[in-house]
Amino acid sequence: MVSNQGVHGPTGSEKLEKVVIRFAGDSGDGMQLTGDRFTHEAAAFGNDLATQPNFPAEIRAPQGTLPGVSSFQIQIADYDILTAGDQPDVLVAMNPAALKANIDDLARGATVIVNTDEFTKRTLAKVGYERDPLTDDSLGDFVVHRVPMTSLTLAATEPAGVGKKDGQRAKNMFALGLLSWMYGRPLGGTEAFMREKFAATPEIGEANVLAFRAGWNYGETTETFATTYEVAPAALPPGTYRQITGNTALAYGVIAAGQLSGLPVFLGTYPITPASDILHELSKHKNFGVTTFQAEDEIAGIGAALGASLGGALGVTSTSGPGLALKSETIGLAVMTELPLVIIDVQRGGPSTGLPTKTEQADLLQALYGRNGESPVAVVAPRSPADCFAAAVEAARIALTYRTPVLLLSDGAIANGSEPWSIPRVSDLEPIDPAFEPPVDEDAAAGPPFQPYARDPETLARPLARPGTGGRAHRIGGLEKADGSGNISYDPANHELMVRLRQAKIDGIAVPDLEVDDPDGTAELLLIGWGSSYGPIGEACRRARRRGVPVAHAHLRHLNPLPANTGEVLRRYRRVVAPEMNGGQLALLLRGKYLVDVQPWTKVAGTAFSAQELVGVIDAALDGSIGELEQNKAFDARARATYRTTGGYR
């Protein structure tokens, strides 16, 4: 196996600082469960880790085909890491499709473990293999271990008394057992998990435990695997940690915001990949005052959430890009009525249905401007799975404090990825005051009428009164409001005033200054990003600095309003590059607002940046060739289209 930090110990084990493992197989092979269990054990052991699942877009792709391949990549390390790794050191391929779909991602010398039972003439032909890659020299650059996992699993599960079909399904546990032996992961946690998971069918649970042990024993007894590997626990800051995905962290952040504000939480939503897990998680927590409503469509979901906000709850809705488009009219209504609302958009590849299971960052302009009229909203973006908790609390705090919709932009890489999360102390979380208007005393009933569109002099937020609050009756709706009274108004001067007041309210939201990671203060190049590009950009900067190349990194959590010092930061550097998984939306915004030559570096492949890819971007930016390289992407697309239409493309 390739190891850039290999040190052999006295007992035949090899100590590693890090390793990147990818499990890959058919969508029915349980690769996500396998990776998730390996992740849990790594987290319990104390490794720092980052994961990146990859799901097929088809719900039921034909078995053994390339579109049906599912994979799960994890990097574990004894130091703090920022990504799930560029290239796997180990690939576990459960069938020919998994091998073919993933082999090009491996570096020379990587380890490949294949389930030889699945390499038949039929399965090879299904994915276009003319020859068996296990018998020709096509895998000569790798260390290949041929393991008959299916047949070994069937033999191991026979004592459980399950049928052949259920026995075969446990082969993912055989693979997990083998990798657990290779990397010194304990047995007890996974065995207990499987028995609990299949408590209703204990024979299935026992079969999975037997397969798991068989994989461990195979590694222990066969001469094929002569070395085990040790990745020590990471020296993380003190605290209580748990492994968490982005969607789960968002759900927990919403719950926490409800507790901090003293408000019930109402999620009105419609299931959509990759946001559905937020609904699934929140539905488990009724004991925290959470109500979940699965509506018949996206429009009904956000309408219910906005109604809940009007009624005095913390209204939340979740979706992905296509659903955000459908919600736009109701978001405009929330802007007009100035009601707090949290809209979670877990971005995916588009347009239209696009790439439902793949990641992208292409909804930024939609979040900022995707409504009719001048409809300003606050926009917040977490940078990692663990950061989703704090981002959700921040979104709710802004929504309640400033009486505004807040768009929270996550994406597929963050939503499905996982990392250690330091669980915060409740006492360290600042309470959120919703500041609802109290009832009017009878003695004050004869005073001036309630002014629902009066303004707080500091935040410009309007007062909120729950329906039915004594003495606080007022008009509400989507027609323009008169300043102060909230009556319907068609007066041009009033409309101008209200449009500018709503914009000023958003512009005045207090957000922290933009921090810059520039250790020596000598960098001439700044990489600026937002969302899930944080990890790859940060790791690329680390690698460049280790080569003696100074480079600075800034990352935006608040995208509307931008931090007050953003312009000053941008002007501090001779060159500024904005890597994004879109066509250059942040670069467009920064160039237009600050008149700084921000160079975009774009990717719209449905996959996240790799750190090494961005190391190349750093080099190109410093030698002045990055603009030409970026333009070549568009030229190459045009050339391909021309070539194809002339009959030359195959």
Side-chain angles (χ1 to χ4, degrees), residues 270-410:
Y270 181 78
I272 184 171
T273 302
S276 299
D277 286 341
I278 300 169
L279 167 62
H280 300 159
E281 185 61 41
L282 284 174
S283 69
K284 303 174 185 177
H285 299 287
K286 298 179 180 66
N287 55 314
F288 286 112
V290 177
T291 299
T292 53
F293 169 56
Q294 180 176 321
E296 67 269 24
D297 55 40
E298 297 279 7
I299 299 171
I302 190 173
L306 185 60
S309 289
L310 174 64
L314 174 58
V316 182
T317 190
S318 57
T319 190
S320 191
L324 184 62
L326 292 169
K327 295 178 188 291
S328 62
E329 184 177 5
T330 305
I331 297 173
L333 177 61
V335 171
M336 175 61 75
T337 55
E338 300 191 43
L339 289 169
L341 182 65
V342 176
I343 305 110
I344 300 172
D345 174 16
V346 185
Q347 301 164 95
R348 72 191 205 187
S352 188
T353 308
L355 305 173
T357 61
K358 310 303 178 183
T359 193
E360 205 164 270
Q361 291 181 290
D363 293 352
L364 177 56
L365 294 182
Q366 182 183 11
L368 289 168
Y369 305 119
R371 295 162 296 283
N372 68 296
E374 296 289 335
S375 301
V377 300
V379 180
V380 176
R383 69 186 192 183
S384 69
D387 189 45
C388 284
F389 176 86
V393 173
E394 174 75 352
R397 187 184 306 279
I398 292 173
L400 290 166
T401 302
Y402 293 89
R403 320 311 200 196
T404 179
V406 180
L407 265 155
L408 194 157
L409 291 178
S410 178

Side-chain angles (χ1 to χ4, degrees), residues 320-522:
S320 191
L324 184 62
L326 292 169
K327 295 178 188 291
S328 62
E329 184 177 5
T330 305
I331 297 173
L333 177 61
V335 171
M336 175 61 75
T337 55
E338 300 191 43
L339 289 169
L341 182 65
V342 176
I343 305 110
I344 300 172
D345 174 16
V346 185
Q347 301 164 95
R348 72 191 205 187
S352 188
T353 308
L355 305 173
T357 61
K358 310 303 178 183
T359 193
E360 205 164 270
Q361 291 181 290
D363 293 352
L364 177 56
L365 294 182
Q366 182 183 11
L368 289 168
Y369 305 119
R371 295 162 296 283
N372 68 296
E374 296 289 335
S375 301
V377 300
V379 180
V380 176
R383 69 186 192 183
S384 69
D387 189 45
C388 284
F389 176 86
V393 173
E394 174 75 352
R397 187 184 306 279
I398 292 173
L400 290 166
T401 302
Y402 293 89
R403 320 311 200 196
T404 179
V406 180
L407 265 155
L408 194 157
L409 291 178
S410 178
D411 62 50
I414 290 176
N416 297 318
S418 64
E419 64 181 353
W421 172 51
S422 179
I423 302 173
R425 296 177 180 271
V426 174
S427 58
D428 293 338
L429 300 176
E430 184 181 349
I432 302 172
D433 183 7
F436 289 114
E437 293 295 303
V440 177
D441 296 335
E442 291 183 6
D443 296 340
F450 176 50
Q451 296 287 295
Y453 281 83
R455 302 283 169 180
D456 180 280
E458 182 176 346
T459 65
L460 297 182
R462 77 172 184 87
L464 282 186
R466 292 184 177 97
T469 303
R472 304 296 186 185
H474 61 282
R475 294 177 182 271
I476 199 76
L479 292 172
E480 182 63 277
K481 304 294 179 288
D483 180 36
S485 70
N487 293 332
I488 296 171
S489 173
Y490 300 107
D491 178 66
N494 177 79
H495 179 58
E496 174 98 12
L497 173 64
M498 295 300 280
V499 166
R500 297 193 181 280
L501 276 173
R502 288 189 289 263
Q503 184 65 59
K505 180 177 68 171
I506 300 301
D507 292 342
I509 293 173
V511 303
D513 277 351
L514 179 61
E515 296 182 358
V516 182
D517 176 21
D518 187 0
D520 300 327
T522 61

Side-chain angles (χ1 to χ4, degrees), residues 120-143:
T120 65
K121 289 183 178 180
R122 179 174 174 273
T123 58
L124 290 167
K126 191 177 289 189
V127 294
Y129 275 126
E130 296 180 0
R131 297 183 303 275
D132 187 346
L134 303 183
T135 59
D136 61 21
D137 61 353
S138 60
L139 300 179
D141 288 338
F142 310 107
V143 178

